[in-house]
Amino acid sequence: MNLIFAHFFLAVLLFFALNWIGNHSIHAGYIRMSVLAKADEAPAFNFLYRAFSPVAYITVVSAISYMLQQDWIVTDIYFVVVYYFVFRLVFNLATGRGKLLNWVTQVAYVLVSIPMSYYVYDTLIVHKEFLFPTAKELGSAVWLAIVAYTYHTFNSVKLSDERTKARKANYLQDRYVTYENLYGEIIEGIAETKRQEALIYAVLIVEAFNRPKLYRLIENLLFYFGFAKTLGIMQVTTERYINDEESVRLGATKIVEDHLQAKLKVEARRYPGGSWAIRREVLELYNPDGEYIREVDGLYDEIVSQFYPEEKTDWEAEIEESNRPRQNDEEPNKSSQRYASEAGASA
């Protein structure tokens, strides 16, 4: 039981470590799970990272265990990789992310990673020679260079993202319909325009994705001990306990109120972009993180396109606004008409 517990703990640690490293490797092409469809710019890197990182992990852990004279942890350590993929699957299903998973690649990760882990364990880890490579083994670095070259070549290949877009669209359809049934009356009663309504749904979907139900249950417990300040599905900062429904009401109200403040700021400073600039200001007041703003803004465009087709795009709205006669321009026209009428009467 101690061995199983130790291996399971190492698997959970691997899960969070790979997510943390991946989130800090976006510049290298790492693509993280998101509600927004994104093209995989580095397919080779993402596949190798997810499939071979667990193998490297158990190798490093085994070396450390041998150095600390804790050889018992190394026994059947390939089970750490098995537990990792099981935990990863359960976590994604429990947090409602199952529809976002590409099941073909998920199966491919398992079919590559687990057999490779057992092979490395059986041929290297179970023996301690891998800690002391010979000169002959160091000569294999040439082959590693060839592998690196091949990796770089395949990583330059960009795969079609049509399936990814379809999967994301299905997820968005499911989330929007679900939240419209649950909170549609609240949002419609608060939003002043359809575009504000779409923005509220975009924030709601992203916040719910980042803080799924399991996380929010833990936050509710931490709130009573003073360790959590944001609650509910829209992650509203509060000093009192609120449920998801109240969270939507407060979150939607904040977005609508911030919209006026953002509009005044954009007009006063004459920012370019009009509606887009106002929306960015609203999102920055909700969450200043740049990646968060880009994700919500991108999701907003998809929601407007898919569920509010009667709404104009930002460009069309800006052109219509610029062509609309201003009040100051209308006054002279009215005065001219009145003067002409009086002149005619005098004549």
Side-chain angles (χ1 to χ4, degrees):
M1 289 300 296
N2 290 339
L3 185 63
I4 294 176
F5 177 80
H7 285 175
F8 184 77
F9 173 79
L10 290 172
V12 175
L13 186 63
L14 171 62
F15 173 80
F16 288 106
L18 290 186
N19 284 341
W20 185 88
I21 295 173
N23 289 332
H24 290 78
S25 303
I26 296 177
H27 63 281
Y30 177 83
I31 183 169
R32 61 183 180 181
M33 186 178 292
S34 167
V35 296
L36 189 63
K38 299 178 181 178
D40 191 350
E41 301 289 343
F45 170 79
N46 284 289
F47 183 84
L48 293 178
Y49 178 77
R50 288 175 168 84
F52 287 95
S53 291
V55 181
Y57 176 77
I58 64 171
T59 304
V60 173
V61 170
S62 299
I64 295 174
S65 299
Y66 281 140
M67 293 174 62
L68 298 177
Q69 297 182 352
Q70 299 295 322
D71 296 17
W72 64 278
I73 296 179
V74 181
T75 305
D76 295 333
I77 198 170
Y78 61 89
F79 272 106
V80 170
V81 181
V82 177
Y83 297 150
Y84 160 73
F85 281 106
V86 172
F87 180 80
R88 189 168 181 264
L89 176 62
V90 172
F91 177 86
N92 285 321
L93 293 178
T95 53
R97 305 181 180 190
K99 292 186 177 182
L100 289 174
L101 294 176
N102 185 334
W103 291 99
V104 175
T105 58
Q106 298 301 314
V107 172
Y109 296 151
V110 173
L111 293 180
V112 171
S113 191
I114 292 180
M116 182 60 67
S117 299
Y118 178 78
Y119 174 79
V120 171
Y121 169 78
D122 186 55
T123 58
L124 297 176
I125 295 177
V126 76
H127 310 289
K128 296 185 179 182
E129 290 81 0
F130 78 97
L131 289 175
F132 309 99
T134 64
K136 182 179 179 180
E137 292 170 335
L138 291 176
S140 61
V142 176
W143 287 105
L144 292 178
I146 295 175
V147 171
Y149 172 78
T150 305
Y151 160 78
H152 177 75
T153 301
F154 279 100
N155 203 39
S156 300
V157 178
K158 295 183 179 180
L159 302 178
S160 173
D161 58 348
E162 292 302 320
R163 292 185 178 179
T164 301
K165 289 181 178 179
R167 193 167 63 251
K168 305 286 185 178
N170 290 336
Y171 177 84
L172 177 59
Q173 173 77 25
D174 176 78
R175 293 295 85 193
Y176 180 86
V177 172
T178 298
Y179 295 143
E180 185 184 34
N181 292 333
L182 291 174
Y183 313 114
E185 293 184 2
I186 297 175
I187 295 174
E188 289 178 10
I190 295 174
E192 298 176 347
T193 65
K194 289 296 183 180
R195 298 172 77 84
Q196 286 185 2
E197 189 176 310
L199 184 60
I200 293 171
Y201 276 113
V203 173
L204 171 60
I205 292 173
V206 172
E207 289 290 352
F209 176 80
N210 292 335
R211 284 292 186 274
K213 187 69 174 179
L214 180 62
Y215 278 41
R216 299 199 299 274
L217 291 175
I218 298 175
E219 277 185 335
N220 291 341
L221 296 176
L222 295 176
F223 177 80
Y224 288 105
F225 296 98
F227 295 112
K229 294 297 182 182
T230 56
L231 292 179
I233 194 169
M234 287 193 73
Q235 289 295 288
V236 177
T237 302
T238 178
E239 296 296 331
R240 61 182 178 85
Y241 174 78
I242 57 174
N243 57 20
D244 285 347
E245 185 174 307
E246 183 67 16
S247 164
V248 172
R249 182 176 287 105
L250 294 174
T253 301
K254 173 176 172 56
I255 290 174
V256 173
E257 292 176 350
D258 288 346
H259 189 272
L260 177 59
Q261 180 180 345
K263 184 177 181 181
L264 294 174
K265 182 178 179 181
V266 169
E267 291 177 349
R269 298 189 179 184
R270 297 182 180 179
Y271 287 155
S275 300
W276 175 83
I278 294 173
R279 187 167 64 253
R280 297 276 299 186
E281 288 290 331
V282 172
L283 294 177
E284 187 173 355
L285 290 171
Y286 204 95
N287 187 331
D289 180 71
E291 181 64 24
Y292 173 89
I293 293 174
R294 285 189 292 273
E295 185 161 7
V296 175
D297 191 54
L299 189 63
Y300 163 84
D301 289 333
E302 293 191 11
I303 290 176
V304 171
S305 174
Q306 188 168 344
F307 303 105
Y308 300 90
E310 71 282 358
E311 290 296 311
K312 297 180 176 63
T313 64
D314 282 352
W315 256 128
E316 293 171 335
E318 291 300 324
I319 293 174
E320 183 180 278
E321 182 68 24
S322 63
N323 292 332
R324 183 180 302 169
R326 298 183 179 180
Q327 184 176 359
N328 295 335
D329 297 334
E330 293 175 356
E331 291 300 328
N333 294 333
K334 292 180 180 179
S335 300
S336 300
Q337 292 174 2
R338 185 169 59 253
Y339 176 78
S341 298
E342 292 175 354
S346 300

